[in-house]
Amino acid sequence: MAGHSKWANIQHRKGRQDKLRSKLFSKLAKEITVAAKMGDPDPDNNPRLRMAVKEAKSQSVPKDVIDRAIKKSVMGEGDNYEEIRYEGYGPNGVAVIVEAMTDNKNRTASTVRSTFTKNGGNLGETGSVGFMFDRKGEIVYAADAGDADTVMMAAIEAGADDVESSDEGHIIYCGDTDLNAVSVALEADLGESVTAKLIWMPNISTELDLEGMEKLMKLIDALEDDDDVQRVTTNFDATDAVMAQL
């Protein structure tokens, strides 16, 4: 789990989300529109939409942007996006999963393949690295939601699998199909979470030195700069000393 948690910390420290705020808003709005199109436009009756709205709020997306994204689905506006997952290897053999939403599969596949090639990686077939990850639900609470023992007990009662608590907050993991049920159960005990979403959790990791991490960050930056790419997950691991130098 080190790689997943550490990458989140890199993004926070580097302010990458601030730098890409308008692009991030656009991607979150796209997820909301797609989720609303696939089900009920009321978040209370559509678990995926509920999670998408929560994620958008956690990133300070304005309410009018969220409402407009939902309205687009109700009005039948916007492009019809298809969800596609790409898998490949980055520098030093790090496994990379790229999740995209696109209205043109050929364009997206070409761009993703080119980005891998230009940044020391290579795009593989579907399933080529997927076995190195488990699909999980991730629910995040702020540190003031409760102490570690309180959150752990609430998580166990809600049916979660694991909890990581630190000064920065609490991360609760559960089965992917249990995400909505566990999230709702936790809210009864701990209040509303910061985020609740599906993630790819590495079950095998690849250790990187500073040079390897810098190359990997360059690849991920390039992938995330693509408007069709929603999120990128890798299975890197790195020592605290290496992380401190980034």
Side-chain angles (χ1 to χ4, degrees), residues 180-220:
N180 187 56
V182 172
S183 177
V184 170
L186 283 170
E187 288 188 2
D189 282 343
L190 303 176
E192 186 170 357
S193 60
V194 177
T195 66
K197 59 188 176 183
L198 289 170
I199 63 166
W200 292 99
M201 179 186 290
N203 56 48
I204 300 172
S205 60
T206 298
E207 183 84 20
L208 292 180
D209 58 13
L210 179 59
E211 181 181 359
M213 280 301 305
E214 290 174 340
K215 289 180 179 178
L216 177 63
M217 290 177 69
K218 186 178 178 183
L219 168 62
I220 294 178

Side-chain angles (χ1 to χ4, degrees), residues 14-189:
K14 291 288 186 180
R16 295 174 70 250
Q17 292 173 334
D18 288 333
K19 183 179 71 174
L20 302 172
R21 185 152 297 275
S22 63
K23 191 178 291 286
L24 176 66
F25 282 9
S26 175
K27 293 184 180 187
L28 291 169
K30 184 191 292 186
E31 167 64 24
I32 289 171
T33 299
V34 169
K37 273 189 175 183
M38 292 176 66
D40 194 302
D42 181 354
D44 289 336
N45 299 322
N46 183 335
R48 176 169 173 173
L49 177 57
R50 181 168 169 267
M51 304 300 176
V53 169
K54 184 186 290 287
E55 178 71 10
K57 287 180 177 178
S58 77
Q59 299 296 340
S60 302
V61 175
K63 185 177 184 299
D64 65 313
V65 173
I66 294 172
D67 292 342
R68 190 160 60 244
I70 295 175
K71 185 178 179 181
K72 283 178 67 175
S73 73
V74 175
M75 302 295 290
E77 299 175 355
D79 297 313
N80 290 316
Y81 293 105
E82 184 175 353
E83 294 178 282
I84 303 176
R85 184 176 81 245
Y86 300 98
E87 300 180 21
Y89 290 92
N92 300 95
V94 172
V96 182
I97 291 180
V98 180
E99 295 172 89
M101 283 186 183
T102 179
D103 58 353
N104 186 325
K105 290 194 297 183
N106 292 335
R107 177 194 68 220
T108 307
S110 175
T111 302
V112 170
R113 184 181 301 278
S114 174
T115 301
F116 268 93
T117 302
K118 290 177 181 177
N119 291 279
N122 62 283
L123 187 63
E125 299 295 327
T126 300
S128 59
V129 305
F131 67 93
M132 300 185 197
F133 299 83
D134 297 316
R135 193 63 160 159
K136 292 283 188 179
E138 178 192 79
I139 304 163
V140 177
Y141 274 91
D144 61 7
D147 59 36
D149 289 341
T150 298
V151 173
M152 175 66 80
M153 288 305 300
I156 291 173
E157 291 179 9
D161 297 333
D162 194 15
V163 180
E164 290 182 3
S165 292
S166 69
D167 292 341
E168 297 178 359
H170 310 277
I171 307 176
I172 300 164
Y173 301 102
C174 63
D176 57 343
T177 58
D178 300 329
L179 177 57
N180 187 56
V182 172
S183 177
V184 170
L186 283 170
E187 288 188 2
D189 282 343

